[in-house]
Amino acid sequence: MNGNHHVIDSTALDSASEPPLQVTFIQALKLWFKLGFLGFGGPAAQIALMHRELVEQRRWISERRFLHALNYCMLLPGPEAQQLATYMGWLMHKTKGGVAAGVLFVLPGLLFLIVLSWLYIAYGHVPLIAGLFYGIKPAITAVVVHAVHRIGSRALKNSWMWAIAAASFVAIFAMNVPFPLIVLTAAVIGYLGGRYVPEKFTVGGGHGSAKKSYGPALIDDNTPPPEHARFRWFGLLKIAATGLILWALPMAFLTLQFGWSHTLTQMGWFFTKAALLTFGGAYAVLPYIYQGAIGHYQWLTPTQMIDGLALGEANPGPLIMVVAFVGFVGAYVQSVFGTDLQVVAGVTAAVLVTWFTFLPSFIFILAGGPLVESTHGNLKFTAPLTGITAAVVGVILNLAVFFSYHVLWPQGFAGAFDWIAAIMSVIAAVALVRYKRNVIQVIGVSALFGLLLKTLLP
């Protein structure tokens, strides 16, 4: 294998004893475009889809190399599925391949979410739409509870992990401690725990080692890294400098054009910080987003946040794309370009926050990929990650409490308890946890039931 292009010969797939010959950049583009439109169901479903396409069916990369890259992406802040696509594209076709794979993984979801955000803000009061969202909200509450169960069952393997999770829940729920401080504290605890009680901090949620083989792969277990994937200090510094420039130029423009306190400038700064704090996936950073977007900036209401998460769940691409909804609604409602240009303001904000949210992910992969390819041994950052993952469980539990309150007591504790929403939440949770139904199915059925209750029945 050389360091330039790898072109696939489809006839080679007929023989399990021979690896694919090459993969052209155009053929890779077609796959990334396909994955961008089919990436429903959150990161687990997206990673499984990539595994099926890249490892099992096309054999562009071996199981072991795929999991090695995935373990690195799991250590990073940011959406791991999108980063994994970027990594695969970069490994096969250099920087242009990584950028193309990452962008195409996000672009369909961004376009869909902009349209859905406009329909929501313009027509959300219409009975048809209101009925759909009445059914969706209990399902979203169940989805977040399911995330607590799923991550907790993997991460809370001993009393140390339970203690970190409980402390993080109390910190954010009762003391309103900023999410970044919780992440930093958990990382420090994990680092110290890894040094002094390592047996308690090796439970992690890693993806282990490969046990299956689907035949020889184009990039196989023992295939040496291509030339562009070899680590060089100059390459690392060049990528880091490029990333800094790509961040600084739009931020400088916003500051000079509108001022530091303007909504668009503050969105750029806020979502840059959010991008660097998304350890543990989108559910982990959602509490930080609602702390800032609802509590501090008041860009949207708690109800709108829940509705936005529903749209994000029903959208292809990373769940963190919900930031585009936050940006759209915040700029639209505040009419940052005036009342005649609300839609333009919303689209501009959605694109801006997507840029600032995803730019770090590209830099992490393009800068760190050569380091990962230089060693196929175990990464040495698992103890801090283990601490952060345990804290994330407590943080997401707080998010579940937050959603439950606003769904079950829509007028506050002084108002009536919504028994129908409670029953729907329980049914949705059972469907997710007990019967392993996927998120899209649960949300779809709940939406139809809400529509039936609110618009078709007398």
Side-chain angles (χ1 to χ4, degrees):
M1 185 186 75
N2 57 47
N4 297 314
H5 300 291
H6 312 290
V7 184
I8 191 169
D9 178 0
S10 59
T11 60
L13 294 179
D14 297 331
S15 172
S17 62
E18 295 294 330
L21 297 181
Q22 292 180 321
V23 178
T24 66
F25 181 60
I26 297 300
Q27 286 172 319
L29 277 181
K30 291 178 181 177
L31 176 62
W32 305 131
F33 192 71
K34 172 185 174 182
L35 293 179
F37 276 98
L38 297 180
F40 292 94
Q46 292 157 2
I47 290 168
L49 178 63
M50 259 188 287
H51 183 274
R52 187 171 74 244
E53 295 283 351
L54 291 169
V55 179
E56 299 177 33
Q57 295 183 355
R58 288 172 169 79
R59 291 188 284 122
W60 289 1
I61 189 167
S62 71
E63 172 102 343
R64 189 179 300 276
R65 295 290 281 269
F66 182 89
L67 292 178
H68 185 69
L70 178 56
N71 279 331
Y72 173 60
C73 295
M74 292 290 291
L75 292 173
L76 297 172
E80 60 266 33
Q82 184 262 352
Q83 289 170 334
L84 183 60
T86 304
Y87 192 108
M88 295 293 110
W90 163 80
L91 189 58
M92 290 191 292
H93 297 112
K94 305 183 180 180
T95 299
K96 70 173 183 180
V99 171
V103 168
L104 290 176
F105 198 83
V106 170
L107 192 58
L110 173 61
L111 297 177
F112 278 130
L113 205 51
I114 286 175
V115 173
L116 291 173
S117 299
W118 172 73
L119 290 172
Y120 170 81
I121 203 72
Y123 301 103
H125 62 283
V126 174
L128 174 69
I129 305 298
L132 289 172
F133 275 99
Y134 177 77
I136 286 172
K137 288 172 190 174
I140 290 299
T141 303
V143 167
V144 178
V145 171
H146 181 230
V148 177
H149 174 266
R150 188 178 67 248
I151 298 173
S153 62
R154 187 181 72 232
L156 307 184
K157 297 296 188 182
N158 59 54
S159 58
W160 284 74
M161 300 301 107
W162 278 95
I164 293 173
S168 72
F169 174 76
V170 171
I172 197 168
F173 178 79
M175 303 166 67
N176 203 30
V177 175
F179 179 66
L181 185 58
I182 293 175
V183 169
L184 179 62
T185 303
V188 170
I189 293 172
Y191 172 76
L192 295 174
R195 290 193 62 182
Y196 298 108
V197 281
E199 70 280 1
K200 301 294 185 182
F201 285 81
T202 54
V203 295
H207 286 258
S209 58
K211 296 180 180 178
K212 294 182 180 179
S213 174
Y214 299 92
L218 177 63
I219 303 175
D220 218 337
D221 291 352
N222 299 315
T223 303
E227 185 62 28
H228 71 273
R230 299 184 189 279
F231 177 74
R232 297 177 181 85
W233 279 109
F234 176 74
L236 176 63
L237 294 174
K238 184 172 72 171
I239 292 293
T242 302
L244 184 60
I245 292 170
L246 290 173
W247 175 85
L249 285 178
M251 184 58 71
F253 173 81
L254 291 171
T255 305
L256 293 173
Q257 182 72 22
F258 302 111
W260 178 252
S261 60
H262 190 269
T263 297
L264 293 180
T265 311
Q266 285 299 300
M267 281 183 174
W269 177 238
F270 175 74
F271 285 105
T272 295
K273 293 185 289 184
L276 299 174
L277 292 167
T278 50
F279 293 98
Y283 287 112
V285 82
L286 285 173
Y288 176 65
I289 292 176
Y290 88 69
Q291 268 188 338
I294 298 172
H296 181 70
Y297 293 106
Q298 297 178 334
W299 290 329
L300 70 173
T301 66
T303 298
Q304 288 172 335
M305 183 70 186
I306 299 171
D307 294 342
L309 182 57
L311 293 177
E313 289 279 12
N315 206 51
L319 178 59
I320 196 62
M321 281 303 304
V322 72
V323 301
F325 174 86
V326 174
F328 187 100
V329 172
Y332 185 102
V333 171
Q334 295 191 13
S335 303
V336 297
F337 293 158
T339 54
D340 294 333
L341 295 173
Q342 286 178 295
V343 174
V344 174
V347 173
T348 301
V351 173
L352 269 177
V353 302
T354 301
W355 174 268
F356 286 112
T357 300
F358 284 92
L359 178 62
S361 291
F362 286 95
I363 303 307
F364 288 141
I365 296 301
L366 299 178
L371 284 169
V372 180
E373 285 299 304
S374 68
T375 171
H376 295 298
N378 294 324
L379 299 175
K380 304 300 183 184
F381 309 113
T382 53
L385 179 68
T386 298
I388 291 171
T389 304
V392 160
V393 176
V395 170
I396 301 176
L397 177 60
N398 174 67
L399 185 68
V401 172
F402 170 82
F403 279 6
S404 299
Y405 167 72
H406 287 285
V407 170
L408 302 181
W409 285 274
Q411 280 83 44
F413 283 131
F417 180 79
D418 192 334
W419 285 101
I420 294 177
I423 293 170
M424 290 174 67
S425 294
V426 171
I427 293 172
V430 170
L432 288 164
V433 177
R434 175 69 179 83
Y435 293 102
K436 312 296 183 187
R437 309 283 26 157
N438 69 50
V439 170
I440 298 299
Q441 290 175 334
V442 172
I443 290 177
V445 172
S446 298
L448 290 175
F449 194 67
L451 182 65
L452 184 69
L453 284 172
K454 289 295 183 181
T455 62
L456 300 182
L457 294 182

